[in-house]
Amino acid sequence: MWRQYSITLPCALTSASLNQHGFGSVIRATLVLLLIMFTVAGCNGMQTKDSGVYREGLMTPEGEPAYITVQHCLIGFEGSVPSKSIVRSQSEAEKLAQELFARAQAGEDFSAIVASHTDDSPPGIYKMANNGFPGDMTSNVPSNHVFARDGMVPAFGNTGFPLEVGQVGLAVYDETNSPYGWHIVKRIK
């Protein structure tokens, strides 16, 4: 089936002139063909089928894990999180973050803390790939995404990667490294 589409597109390109009308026709024909291919294939041909991207037990030369899974609670303040209407001040956010961090360190149910307090989307669970290891954002299921460390705010990875499984860390607000507020991070894998 794919062969039929791969022959049609080069023929269209060869027979079209490069004037504005011909170029527009080629683009329209290409878009129609892509729409048909994605509809027939269900977009599955574009997905990574390698479930081995996220691998536990690998380490960086610096001794950090290659891949981690963390859960986080973002505590923002007025104006810090785009598209969120947060009314607490920066000092109120810092106080709340410190209180929640202490509760998490004391063993309180972290998922409950996240559900009740995060300014991100609960459950706030992210898989991350360390520098030098591939991420994978191709899945249609967001919980299967593996975010590249350098694709997140720096404080998120700087706090998450040194943690042992079960440990909790706090990334403090910083305009450059943690611009959205305070991140209370728990490593879960």
Side-chain angles (χ1 to χ4, degrees), residues 11 17-18 26-27 34 45 48 60-61 66 71 95 97 117 119 148 155-156:
C11 291
S17 64
L18 292 178
V26 169
I27 295 298
L34 287 171
T48 299
T60 67
Q71 184 173 22
K95 182 180 177 188
H117 297 285
D119 289 317
F156 199 76

Side-chain angles (χ1 to χ4, degrees), residues 26-88:
V26 169
I27 295 298
R28 279 190 293 282
T30 302
L31 291 174
V32 168
L33 286 173
L34 287 171
L35 179 62
I36 292 168
M37 289 180 344
F38 289 144
T39 301
V40 170
C43 296
N44 289 331
M46 303 296 286
Q47 300 302 309
T48 299
K49 298 296 183 190
D50 180 10
S51 61
V53 171
Y54 184 103
R55 294 183 306 274
E56 294 182 38
L58 293 178
M59 301 296 279
T60 67
E62 297 78 28
E64 287 186 332
Y67 296 93
I68 61 173
T69 302
V70 296
Q71 184 173 22
H72 88 121
C73 182
L74 171 63
I75 304 300
F77 53 91
E78 186 175 7
S80 70
V81 183
S83 74
K84 287 278 186 171
S85 180
I86 303 170
V87 296
R88 74 177 73 90

Side-chain angles (χ1 to χ4, degrees), residues 132-153:
F133 292 87
D136 184 359
M137 301 298 286
T138 60
S139 177
N140 287 330
V141 180
S143 63
N144 290 337
H145 291 168
V146 179
F147 293 84
R149 180 176 182 165
D150 62 3
M152 307 289 273
V153 298

Side-chain angles (χ1 to χ4, degrees), residues 12 19 35 42 67 86 89 96 102 120 128 135 147 151 170-171 173 178 181:
N19 64 28
L35 179 62
Y67 296 93
I86 303 170
S89 69
L96 177 60
D120 194 6
M128 293 193 334
F147 293 84
L170 178 65
Y173 168 71
S178 188

